[in-house]
Amino acid sequence: MPYSLIDIGANLTHDSFADDLDEVLARAADAGVERMVVTGSSDQGNIDAAELADAHPRRLYATAGVHPHHAADYTDASDELIRSLTIRKSVVAVGECGLDYFRDFSPRDAQVEAFRSQLDIAADTRMPVFLHQRDAHDDYVRILQPVLAKIPRAVAHCFTGDADELRDYLELGLYVGITGWICDERRGLHLRDIVGEIPDDRLLIETDAPYLLPRTLDPRPDTRRNEPLYLPEVLRIVAKARGQSTEHVAAITTANAVRFFDLD
Ligand SMILES: [Zn+2]
């Protein structure tokens, strides 16, 4: 086996995996992607993610949270559900949660409220938090900063921002998750210039499958669906951009993921 990688963000409860998840997991294992954290982003998605993780102990883990797109649906029951799921051994972080002013699928005040509530859960339960942010940097930092001291660890998942945003995040003490966005020659090239600024002990890698199929794959798969199988391609581009060996980046990102999520 070439590596022992951990995909910290895979949306494996997505419909597109309903028919062949076992094969997806087997292909991932063959490629050295031994463990995956299934992203929870809605009430039903959180239940599904936790059940999936429970069915694959030490292979799959889950997060529990409500994505800013679904913030308008965030209720007391959503809050209770997340709190109850954090007790499970397979659930390793609160999120994904945060702000998304790019799409604005939920009103901004609802996004802020759902974000604050979930940060409170992370603080109360002493769980790490899995964060999403797009086009909302200033509000996000303003909300996050005062509560971070009460939260053990936080990751800016699928980082796509610029050098200034990256520096702010590192100053806040965040871990940074890099996806196949860095492989995208149309919109991700700036990440190759700045990914080297992330210290070895703060870097994480993820696919965000089924989204963000790495565009550097050669040959290009004949599907648009991304899978954890392709995490080594993200690893390869990140390592090249950082001027480090893939073995080194594999080792540090796996160690960081184990520490971040407190995996067994
Ligand atoms: Zn996200």
Side-chain angles (χ1 to χ4, degrees), residues 167-228:
R167 280 170 207 142
D168 286 350
Y169 289 179
L170 292 174
E171 233 167 81
L172 285 172
L174 304 190
Y175 286 68
V176 181
I178 301 291
T179 61
W181 195 282
I182 197 171
C183 304
D184 189 330
E185 80 289 353
R186 302 163 306 179
R187 56 182 185 178
L189 289 180
H190 69 288
L191 290 176
R192 299 188 200 180
D193 296 330
I194 60 177
V195 71
E197 292 184 29
I198 303 169
D200 271 10
D201 61 357
R202 301 269 202 93
L203 177 68
L204 294 164
I205 53 173
E206 47 178 332
T207 59
D208 208 24
Y211 313 111
L212 304 179
L213 182 71
R215 289 174 57 89
T216 46
L217 283 169
D218 184 20
R220 284 257 181 110
D222 44 337
T223 163
R224 287 186 48 80
R225 184 185 72 171
N226 195 10
E227 305 182 10

Side-chain angles (χ1 to χ4, degrees), residues 39 67 96 130-133 157-158 208:
T39 309
H67 191 284
E96 71 177 295
F130 190 86
L131 298 164
H132 173 103
Q133 187 276 120
H157 126 85
C158 192
D208 208 24

Side-chain angles (χ1 to χ4, degrees), residues 17-225:
F17 294 117
D19 293 333
D20 65 344
L21 185 64
D22 288 342
E23 288 136 65
V24 167
L25 296 181
R27 280 197 287 271
D30 287 345
V33 184
E34 292 184 330
R35 287 178 278 184
M36 289 144 262
V37 182
V38 182
T39 309
S41 57
S42 66
D43 292 350
Q44 188 57 49
N46 291 334
I47 294 167
D48 294 347
E51 278 178 5
L52 195 57
D54 281 344
H56 299 270
R58 293 194 182 81
R59 286 288 307 290
L60 300 184
Y61 302 86
T63 69
V66 171
H67 191 284
H69 289 348
H70 307 301
D73 303 326
Y74 193 88
T75 62
D76 289 349
S78 312
D79 207 270
E80 272 312 307
L81 176 64
I82 296 169
R83 285 178 190 272
S84 70
L85 288 172
T86 60
I87 295 163
R88 295 208 202 179
K89 201 171 157 33
S90 59
V91 175
V92 292
V94 173
E96 71 177 295
C97 61
L99 301 174
D100 193 313
Y101 295 174
F102 177 66
R103 301 224 186 260
D104 274 328
F105 285 155
S106 281
R108 293 186 181 182
D109 56 341
Q111 292 192 36
V112 168
E113 204 180 320
F115 186 29
R116 285 190 198 279
S117 298
Q118 292 177 80
L119 293 173
D120 285 346
I121 297 175
D124 291 347
T125 59
R126 299 273 156 196
M127 295 280 282
V129 67
F130 190 86
L131 298 164
H132 173 103
Q133 187 276 120
R134 212 162 158 209
D135 285 3
H137 181 73
D138 292 347
D139 281 2
Y140 174 82
V141 168
R142 187 172 49 77
I143 292 165
L144 198 51
Q145 191 159 32
V147 290
L148 275 178
K150 291 180 269 178
I151 295 174
R153 291 168 298 282
V155 58
H157 126 85
C158 192
F159 179 78
T160 58
D162 62 17
D164 288 338
E165 288 190 9
L166 180 61
R167 280 170 207 142
D168 286 350
Y169 289 179
L170 292 174
E171 233 167 81
L172 285 172
L174 304 190
Y175 286 68
V176 181
I178 301 291
T179 61
W181 195 282
I182 197 171
C183 304
D184 189 330
E185 80 289 353
R186 302 163 306 179
R187 56 182 185 178
L189 289 180
H190 69 288
L191 290 176
R192 299 188 200 180
D193 296 330
I194 60 177
V195 71
E197 292 184 29
I198 303 169
D200 271 10
D201 61 357
R202 301 269 202 93
L203 177 68
L204 294 164
I205 53 173
E206 47 178 332
T207 59
D208 208 24
Y211 313 111
L212 304 179
L213 182 71
R215 289 174 57 89
T216 46
L217 283 169
D218 184 20
R220 284 257 181 110
D222 44 337
T223 163
R224 287 186 48 80
R225 184 185 72 171

